[in-house]
Amino acid sequence: MKKTKIIFLILFLGFFYPFHSFSEIIKQNKTTDENSNFNVFLDYSGVLDSVVKKEISEGTRFYGNSFNLEVRGKANDKISYRFTKEFVRKNNLLENYDMIDFAYLKYKWNDKLYFLFGKHPLSFGSMEYASEFYEHAYRYPHVYKKNKNNNYVGFSFIYHPIKDHELQFQVVNEMKQQEESMIIQEINYPMGYSVNWNWSLNPNHDNDHDNDHDNKIIKNRWSYSFFQENEKKKYWKLLALGSQFNWKPVTIEADYILSDEDIEQNRNITQVLQSLNHYYYNIPSVKYGTYLVKLKYNFIPKWNLIAKGVYEVGISKKGRNYILGENKLFQKTYTYYGGIEFLPIIKNNDISFFIAYKNHRINYSLDQIKQENKNDHLIVLGLNYRVKMI
């Protein structure tokens, strides 16, 4: 009885605590001594980094990259739950944080059909979105162009038609705060819809176990999402395609993400245009195409070598972008990662140490804003760990 009261208290706080945005989520890690009924986990990521911007060093500092409290388990054979509060640094080169805030129930209708209710992760594709907690240092923070004030509440249908295939249909209510002096809020609670197909392939079906997910030679996460904006006839459309090829000791991930935005989501180019003209209040319509490739090489047990590259292009659309022009390439972004990680416990990733280097370059095509070009360097020495509290 006491345990039931704790569960309902956590869910109550998760649903009614003031809504916060989240730009990324952590994937659930498996812990060997996990209790199926009630579990409390504490995740922490701390780093020592050195940043160079425009050939000027900003010094070396230690800080917490992310802190997460997670509660999950089962109320009974049909109903499971999850509650998460996480503070995660939005950008490895910025000194501000997002709060990930969600709580949901998962109901098992039968072995093939499940329902999710509450504040739960968006059903986006790509391997980048599904990356695990300990891979924070190698994430590309700009990939989904999310406005920092977004939050989503809704439901999902999850269907497993055959083994190793999952179809998900998600409907969410987008809770947005009013933009200051920029957007007339014509639609208070715009809706969003996502269709997601996750599937995997194992060459040796005789030894294939349902829980042996890491042995799949091919994993795919594909999705298409459609979000109504606060303005009528304005939409955000997102295509996310990701695949992972696992040929031990080498793992390769490849993603393509197309973000079609009638109203720019992250406001990066909007802020650049406003720096040129303080009376410019429009938010441009843009498209971003992002290509990501990541290689992980387990060269000796417990040690991984990681290399990653990101190429992104920004193209203007017609509408409110008279400064950018119509269908013009205005931005190219190049990001390179390299690093080594050490996982002292082979059976799980609850503890990891890493050293990583990142080079983030943004080149603008317009002569008026070329002075905003970026060439930032980051070296990080860090540690991630997960502790099972209960």
Side-chain angles (χ1 to χ4, degrees), residues 43-255:
D43 299 303
Y44 177 77
S45 175
V47 300
L48 177 70
D49 75 3
S50 178
V51 180
V52 177
K53 289 186 178 182
K54 296 183 178 180
E55 301 181 355
I56 299 175
S57 174
E58 296 191 349
T60 302
R61 55 191 170 177
F62 178 82
Y63 62 89
N65 194 43
S66 106
F67 177 82
N68 173 66
L69 176 65
E70 178 180 4
V71 179
R72 71 170 186 258
K74 288 185 177 182
N76 54 44
D77 291 339
K78 290 286 188 179
I79 299 176
S80 57
Y81 57 88
R82 186 180 179 196
F83 166 78
T84 295
K85 282 285 187 183
E86 180 182 10
F87 294 89
V88 61
R89 205 170 184 216
K90 289 199 320 178
N91 190 320
N92 283 334
L93 301 174
L94 295 176
E95 203 50 297
N96 50 9
Y97 293 80
D98 274 347
M99 181 184 287
I100 299 176
D101 174 18
F102 55 87
Y104 63 85
L105 297 176
K106 183 176 182 180
Y107 178 76
K108 178 181 177 180
W109 183 267
N110 54 41
D111 290 338
K112 291 189 174 183
L113 184 61
Y114 298 81
F115 302 96
L116 266 63
F117 306 91
K119 295 162 61 177
H120 56 288
L122 292 172
S123 181
F124 287 156
S126 83
M127 306 311 296
E128 185 76 2
Y129 189 67
S131 60
E132 297 189 69
F133 171 78
Y134 68 92
E135 295 178 319
H136 275 302
Y138 306 98
R139 284 179 176 168
Y140 182 60
H142 317 283
V143 70
Y144 287 101
K145 310 299 181 229
K146 273 178 53 58
N147 186 312
K148 65 180 181 179
N149 293 324
N150 290 8
N151 194 80
Y152 301 88
V153 180
F155 61 89
S156 296
F157 300 94
I158 301 176
Y159 179 60
H160 298 268
I162 57 176
K163 186 177 182 180
D164 295 329
H165 287 256
E166 176 185 282
L167 299 174
Q168 182 170 351
F169 175 67
Q170 184 180 70
V171 179
V172 293
N173 187 185
E174 186 175 0
M175 312 280 293
K176 275 192 176 181
Q177 298 181 14
Q178 175 68 45
E179 294 286 338
E180 296 181 3
S181 306
M182 286 187 179
I183 295 180
I184 298 174
Q185 189 162 325
E186 299 172 338
I187 300 175
N188 291 324
Y189 304 107
M191 302 295 291
Y193 308 88
S194 295
V195 177
N196 182 279
W197 179 23
N198 304 323
W199 63 278
S200 58
L201 176 65
N202 191 327
N204 188 354
H205 293 283
D206 294 335
N207 296 325
D208 187 15
H209 301 286
D210 291 340
N211 296 327
D212 199 9
H213 190 63
D214 292 334
N215 287 332
K216 308 297 183 183
I217 191 171
I218 297 176
K219 304 177 191 176
N220 297 288
R221 291 182 57 88
W222 301 340
S223 73
Y224 180 77
S225 304
F226 183 90
F227 294 86
Q228 170 70 57
E229 291 285 0
N230 288 98
E231 289 189 69
K232 293 180 179 178
K233 298 182 180 180
K234 300 294 182 182
Y235 306 97
W236 174 31
K237 291 164 281 187
L238 185 76
L239 174 68
L241 306 174
S243 297
Q244 181 186 93
F245 306 92
N246 186 12
W247 294 290
K248 291 183 177 181
V250 176
T251 300
I252 299 174
E253 295 179 1
D255 292 329

Side-chain angles (χ1 to χ4, degrees), residues 3 10 26 36-37 134 149 166 170 181 220 240 318 346:
K3 190 177 292 185
I10 291 170
I26 63 168
S36 63
N37 293 321
Y134 68 92
N149 293 324
E166 176 185 282
Q170 184 180 70
S181 306
N220 297 288
K318 65 179 181 179
I346 295 180

Side-chain angles (χ1 to χ4, degrees), residues 233-275:
K233 298 182 180 180
K234 300 294 182 182
Y235 306 97
W236 174 31
K237 291 164 281 187
L238 185 76
L239 174 68
L241 306 174
S243 297
Q244 181 186 93
F245 306 92
N246 186 12
W247 294 290
K248 291 183 177 181
V250 176
T251 300
I252 299 174
E253 295 179 1
D255 292 329
Y256 170 68
I257 299 169
L258 175 63
S259 185
D260 186 339
E261 308 165 14
D262 289 343
I263 299 175
E264 189 196 16
Q265 291 292 303
N266 64 0
R267 306 295 192 265
N268 281 356
I269 190 62
T270 301
Q271 293 175 3
V272 172
L273 296 177
Q274 286 177 341
S275 69

Side-chain angles (χ1 to χ4, degrees), residues 327-343:
N327 295 325
K328 299 293 184 180
L329 175 67
F330 66 86
Q331 174 183 321
K332 289 185 179 180
T333 302
Y334 308 86
T335 307
Y336 309 98
Y337 298 81
I340 297 177
E341 65 179 6
F342 171 61
L343 286 75

